[in-house]
Amino acid sequence: YLARAFRDTLPRYDQFEAATGSFTVKSLAEACRSAEQAGADYALVLRLDESERTFAASATLYLARTGASVAAFSAYRTGNDRVRDVFLRIGQLVAEALPARGTLVARRYDRGLVDLGSRHGMKEGTRLAIVKKGRVRLAADAPGTTWDEADIIGDFTVTVVDEAVSEGTITARGKLSPPDFVNAGDEVVLPRAAEQAPAPAPAVA
């Protein structure tokens, strides 16, 4: 009953989608194998602790392909709505740990459309890196994705935001201009923190 209740809270988070179907497993290896066979990237193992007045949950996120642990989350609540509040908090923590990842669905000259919108955290001025199709992969030691810098072919700067999609401008990386190597179907990701950080101010003697 509690597992179904937790599952019912997940559709409100756009960053991920729970696999459909019913699974009965007896080990972590079976859980990861079932998740991978269902087409899921991760398996989330939930542990519950309940008393007469308290409810707590801890969740560990595993990479389905390898079974490696990549993140852990926990929540604790009291009160009449403690079960619902704990499940909502765990779902929120998992959603926040997964960075935005989308696709360039259309391009016309230096303008483009991506399938990420305000509900994915996009806003005017957000800058995304455009990566060659098929070159973004799951990180092995943390929730989210990774890619090779050599596979970044451009940047997408959001100018108009809707709930589920965003329009923006496309700028080629390196010496490519106009962005002839950017095509519909390429992936868009949030640049790594180091790329987004402002350059340090020059030292003054």
PDB file of all heavy atoms in Angstrom, residues 1-8 83 87:
ATOM      1  N   TYR A   1       0.827  -1.204   0.000  1.00  0.00           N
ATOM      2  CA  TYR A   1       0.000   0.000   0.000  1.00  0.00           C
ATOM      3  C   TYR A   1       0.864   1.257   0.000  1.00  0.00           C
ATOM      4  O   TYR A   1       0.638   2.197  -0.754  1.00  0.00           O
ATOM      5  CB  TYR A   1      -0.922  -0.005   1.213  1.00  0.00           C
ATOM      6  CG  TYR A   1      -1.673   1.300   1.395  1.00  0.00           C
ATOM      7  CD1 TYR A   1      -2.807   1.571   0.642  1.00  0.00           C
ATOM      8  CD2 TYR A   1      -1.223   2.253   2.312  1.00  0.00           C
ATOM      9  CE1 TYR A   1      -3.487   2.775   0.793  1.00  0.00           C
ATOM     10  CE2 TYR A   1      -1.898   3.452   2.465  1.00  0.00           C
ATOM     11  CZ  TYR A   1      -3.030   3.704   1.710  1.00  0.00           C
ATOM     12  OH  TYR A   1      -3.693   4.891   1.860  1.00  0.00           O
ATOM     13  N   LEU A   2       1.894   1.290   0.843  1.00  0.00           N
ATOM     14  CA  LEU A   2       2.761   2.469   0.904  1.00  0.00           C
ATOM     15  C   LEU A   2       3.570   2.631  -0.378  1.00  0.00           C
ATOM     16  O   LEU A   2       3.795   3.761  -0.828  1.00  0.00           O
ATOM     17  CB  LEU A   2       3.689   2.365   2.120  1.00  0.00           C
ATOM     18  CG  LEU A   2       3.008   2.552   3.476  1.00  0.00           C
ATOM     19  CD1 LEU A   2       3.989   2.259   4.602  1.00  0.00           C
ATOM     20  CD2 LEU A   2       2.442   3.957   3.620  1.00  0.00           C
ATOM     21  N   ALA A   3       4.011   1.533  -0.968  1.00  0.00           N
ATOM     22  CA  ALA A   3       4.747   1.623  -2.230  1.00  0.00           C
ATOM     23  C   ALA A   3       3.867   2.230  -3.321  1.00  0.00           C
ATOM     24  O   ALA A   3       4.318   3.071  -4.113  1.00  0.00           O
ATOM     25  CB  ALA A   3       5.240   0.235  -2.652  1.00  0.00           C
ATOM     26  N   ARG A   4       2.591   1.819  -3.378  1.00  0.00           N
ATOM     27  CA  ARG A   4       1.680   2.390  -4.365  1.00  0.00           C
ATOM     28  C   ARG A   4       1.423   3.868  -4.075  1.00  0.00           C
ATOM     29  O   ARG A   4       1.332   4.688  -5.000  1.00  0.00           O
ATOM     30  CB  ARG A   4       0.358   1.610  -4.378  1.00  0.00           C
ATOM     31  CG  ARG A   4       0.467   0.217  -4.982  1.00  0.00           C
ATOM     32  CD  ARG A   4      -0.911  -0.341  -5.312  1.00  0.00           C
ATOM     33  NE  ARG A   4      -1.749  -0.441  -4.109  1.00  0.00           N
ATOM     34  CZ  ARG A   4      -1.807  -1.519  -3.346  1.00  0.00           C
ATOM     35  NH1 ARG A   4      -1.068  -2.583  -3.651  1.00  0.00           N
ATOM     36  NH2 ARG A   4      -2.584  -1.542  -2.280  1.00  0.00           N
ATOM     37  N   ALA A   5       1.314   4.217  -2.795  1.00  0.00           N
ATOM     38  CA  ALA A   5       1.090   5.613  -2.434  1.00  0.00           C
ATOM     39  C   ALA A   5       2.269   6.480  -2.849  1.00  0.00           C
ATOM     40  O   ALA A   5       2.086   7.607  -3.343  1.00  0.00           O
ATOM     41  CB  ALA A   5       0.849   5.726  -0.925  1.00  0.00           C
ATOM     42  N   PHE A   6       3.480   5.966  -2.673  1.00  0.00           N
ATOM     43  CA  PHE A   6       4.660   6.718  -3.104  1.00  0.00           C
ATOM     44  C   PHE A   6       4.665   6.877  -4.621  1.00  0.00           C
ATOM     45  O   PHE A   6       4.920   7.967  -5.145  1.00  0.00           O
ATOM     46  CB  PHE A   6       5.928   5.999  -2.644  1.00  0.00           C
ATOM     47  CG  PHE A   6       7.199   6.637  -3.136  1.00  0.00           C
ATOM     48  CD1 PHE A   6       7.576   7.894  -2.692  1.00  0.00           C
ATOM     49  CD2 PHE A   6       8.008   5.994  -4.058  1.00  0.00           C
ATOM     50  CE1 PHE A   6       8.742   8.498  -3.152  1.00  0.00           C
ATOM     51  CE2 PHE A   6       9.171   6.582  -4.516  1.00  0.00           C
ATOM     52  CZ  PHE A   6       9.529   7.839  -4.062  1.00  0.00           C
ATOM     53  N   ARG A   7       4.362   5.816  -5.323  1.00  0.00           N
ATOM     54  CA  ARG A   7       4.337   5.866  -6.785  1.00  0.00           C
ATOM     55  C   ARG A   7       3.330   6.910  -7.278  1.00  0.00           C
ATOM     56  O   ARG A   7       3.578   7.608  -8.260  1.00  0.00           O
ATOM     57  CB  ARG A   7       4.009   4.493  -7.343  1.00  0.00           C
ATOM     58  CG  ARG A   7       3.979   4.416  -8.856  1.00  0.00           C
ATOM     59  CD  ARG A   7       3.402   3.085  -9.313  1.00  0.00           C
ATOM     60  NE  ARG A   7       3.306   3.048 -10.756  1.00  0.00           N
ATOM     61  CZ  ARG A   7       4.259   2.587 -11.553  1.00  0.00           C
ATOM     62  NH1 ARG A   7       5.380   2.117 -11.032  1.00  0.00           N
ATOM     63  NH2 ARG A   7       4.113   2.578 -12.851  1.00  0.00           N
ATOM     64  N   ASP A   8       2.202   7.015  -6.591  1.00  0.00           N
ATOM     65  CA  ASP A   8       1.152   7.951  -7.009  1.00  0.00           C
ATOM     66  C   ASP A   8       1.577   9.406  -6.872  1.00  0.00           C
ATOM     67  O   ASP A   8       0.962  10.288  -7.479  1.00  0.00           O
ATOM     68  CB  ASP A   8      -0.126   7.710  -6.194  1.00  0.00           C
ATOM     69  CG  ASP A   8      -0.812   6.406  -6.574  1.00  0.00           C
ATOM     70  OD1 ASP A   8      -0.488   5.845  -7.637  1.00  0.00           O
ATOM     71  OD2 ASP A   8      -1.658   5.928  -5.780  1.00  0.00           O
ATOM     72  N   VAL A  83       2.856  10.893   6.123  1.00  0.00           N
ATOM     73  CA  VAL A  83       3.204   9.963   5.048  1.00  0.00           C
ATOM     74  C   VAL A  83       3.242  10.703   3.714  1.00  0.00           C
ATOM     75  O   VAL A  83       4.216  10.609   2.952  1.00  0.00           O
ATOM     76  CB  VAL A  83       2.210   8.793   4.994  1.00  0.00           C
ATOM     77  CG1 VAL A  83       2.509   7.898   3.786  1.00  0.00           C
ATOM     78  CG2 VAL A  83       2.284   7.971   6.278  1.00  0.00           C
ATOM     79  N   PHE A  87       6.671  11.455   1.337  1.00  0.00           N
ATOM     80  CA  PHE A  87       6.758  11.000  -0.051  1.00  0.00           C
ATOM     81  C   PHE A  87       6.960  12.175  -1.010  1.00  0.00           C
ATOM     82  O   PHE A  87       7.736  12.082  -1.970  1.00  0.00           O
ATOM     83  CB  PHE A  87       5.506  10.220  -0.425  1.00  0.00           C
ATOM     84  CG  PHE A  87       5.449   8.846   0.183  1.00  0.00           C
ATOM     85  CD1 PHE A  87       4.255   8.150   0.238  1.00  0.00           C
ATOM     86  CD2 PHE A  87       6.583   8.244   0.705  1.00  0.00           C
ATOM     87  CE1 PHE A  87       4.198   6.876   0.788  1.00  0.00           C
ATOM     88  CE2 PHE A  87       6.545   6.981   1.266  1.00  0.00           C
ATOM     89  CZ  PHE A  87       5.340   6.291   1.305  1.00  0.00           C
TER      90      PHE A  87
END
